[in-house]
Amino acid sequence: MNEAASTRDTVIEMRHVSTRFGDHVVHTDISLEVRRAEVFALIGGSGSGKSTLLREMILLQRPDAGSVRVLGVDLADLDRDAAQSLRERWGVLFQHGGLFGSLTVLENVGLPLREHTGLDDALIDDIARWKIEMTGLAPEVGAQYPSELSGGMLKRASLARALALDPELLFLDEPTAGLDPISAGGFDQLVPKLRDLFGLTIVMVTHDLDLLWQVADRVAVLGEGVVQGVGTMAELSRMKNPSIRPYFEGARGRAAQQPAPVAPEATSEESPSKPR
Ligand code: ADP
Ligand code: MG
């Protein structure tokens, strides 16, 4: 493949990344590639450095060695303007949502548009309403405050905000952690829908076996500071590596390999009209 083609198809490229916090070595030699329009998942034990790796992809953390290229740009030597324009090309859903409690959902989702575009208020509200709807929330949720929402609704509202600026890349850190199975189940449909609708490339950290089997195109397993294996879930399931086996053994691991059940429409279980 010539260089231009590989840059087009490779959205994130990490080469020989190492990371330490003081004496604590988290990554010794991580190399991986994320391709355009795929859902790429990062898995690994707690503390294996998944969130840190994600933070290194979005300019929140610098590796101690190695290189990180995102959307064709080397993150090592960016000036402030270049960093800012790159940040506008990705959206991030952090584990703890991070919506402003004093703003309604509609205002929260519109905030990046107010900060980064010169669009007028009516248009910003229209775009925000559309993004809210795309994440499977009822339109009325726009008028609610974060404290009035369930965990699943909060995740969706945060996702709507992450999508506000039409990013090319979306990062999800444990999008279903802490959700009940029904709310978490909706994400199985939502993630591929958003990918297809917006032509997104998605990087997600997750322990959710259903999400991994049903949504991830490729999965990288982190352990001992390196990538222990990378491939589809089916490919990983055939690997003998002892750091990978636990994901496929036991009742949970086997149950997740079954075909997806027919799930209800993403929003039905979280209707805001239900009294809480
Ligand atoms: P994971 O997301 O896989 O659970 P993290 O990437 O959050 O793991 O963390 C990996 C390791 O690095 C953990 O041992 C964590 O305590 C440590 N770590 C992460 N961020 C920092 C930091 N800012 N300062 C010191 N140690 C950190
Ligand atoms: Mg983490």
Side-chain angles (χ1 to χ4, degrees):
M1 197 185 286
N2 66 38
E3 202 189 333
S6 82
T7 312
R8 228 179 10 252
D9 297 331
T10 303
V11 174
I12 299 175
E13 184 180 31
M14 293 192 131
R15 285 284 163 258
H16 307 300
V17 163
S18 65
T19 313
R20 58 166 71 226
F21 294 104
D23 292 340
H24 181 45
V25 177
V26 180
H27 307 131
T28 50
D29 185 3
I30 302 259
S31 295
L32 56 81
E33 279 174 18
V34 178
R35 302 170 190 154
R36 186 165 303 281
E38 75 175 344
V39 176
F40 186 89
L42 282 171
I43 64 176
S46 177
S48 61
K50 305 176 296 293
S51 295
T52 301
L53 207 62
L54 196 144
R55 290 166 58 81
E56 288 171 344
M57 296 174 181
I58 56 176
L59 290 166
L60 290 178
Q61 175 80 43
R62 247 176 208 281
D64 293 285
S67 67
V68 185
R69 289 177 74 83
V70 178
L71 296 164
V73 180
D74 190 328
L75 302 191
D77 36 36
L78 285 181
D79 62 28
R80 187 196 282 251
D81 286 348
Q84 188 48 44
S85 44
L86 202 52
R87 282 193 183 97
E88 290 173 25
R89 296 174 67 190
W90 62 60
V92 187
L93 174 62
F94 289 107
Q95 203 167 339
H96 301 288
L99 296 177
F100 290 103
S102 59
L103 302 180
T104 65
V105 169
L106 189 73
E107 289 165 345
N108 266 292
V109 176
L111 197 60
L113 293 155
R114 289 208 163 78
E115 286 175 345
H116 298 290
T117 73
L119 300 175
D120 65 49
D121 287 347
L123 188 52
I124 287 176
D125 284 352
D126 281 346
I127 296 171
R129 271 189 212 100
W130 186 61
K131 296 291 154 77
I132 289 167
E133 198 183 321
M134 286 302 100
T135 60
L137 291 170
E140 306 85 77
V141 177
Q144 293 186 283
Y145 288 88
S147 61
E148 302 174 284
L149 307 185
S150 70
M153 292 165 83
L154 270 177
K155 292 276 187 187
R156 287 169 199 271
S158 307
L159 196 50
R161 189 178 61 177
L163 295 170
L165 292 171
D166 288 329
E168 293 159 65
L169 247 171
L170 179 65
F171 295 92
L172 308 171
D173 196 351
E174 313 229 11
T176 58
L179 299 186
D180 61 82
I182 294 175
S183 310
F187 271 78
D188 295 359
Q189 285 102 53
L190 184 57
V191 171
K193 179 180 116 178
L194 295 176
R195 186 261 307 268
D196 296 342
L197 202 61
F198 296 110
L200 285 165
T201 303
I202 297 177
V203 179
M204 65 176 180
V205 171
T206 188
H207 291 105
D208 185 328
L209 285 166
D210 294 320
L211 208 51
L212 288 166
W213 275 99
Q214 278 149 44
V215 176
D217 294 307
R218 291 192 309 136
V219 179
V221 187
L222 296 197
E224 318 278 329
V226 300
V227 176
Q228 297 282 343
V230 59
T232 63
M233 284 296 275
E235 285 164 354
L236 291 174
S237 74
R238 293 191 288 270
M239 293 181 187
K240 300 279 181 277
N241 183 330
S243 338
I244 298 177
R245 292 309 313 155
Y247 292 91
F248 302 94
E249 284 162 0
R252 281 190 70 225
R254 282 191 299 273
Q257 299 176 43
Q258 301 305 310
V262 178
E265 246 311 289
T267 53
S268 54
E269 78 284 0
E270 289 182 326
S271 161
S273 58
K274 246 189 286 182
R276 292 174 37 78

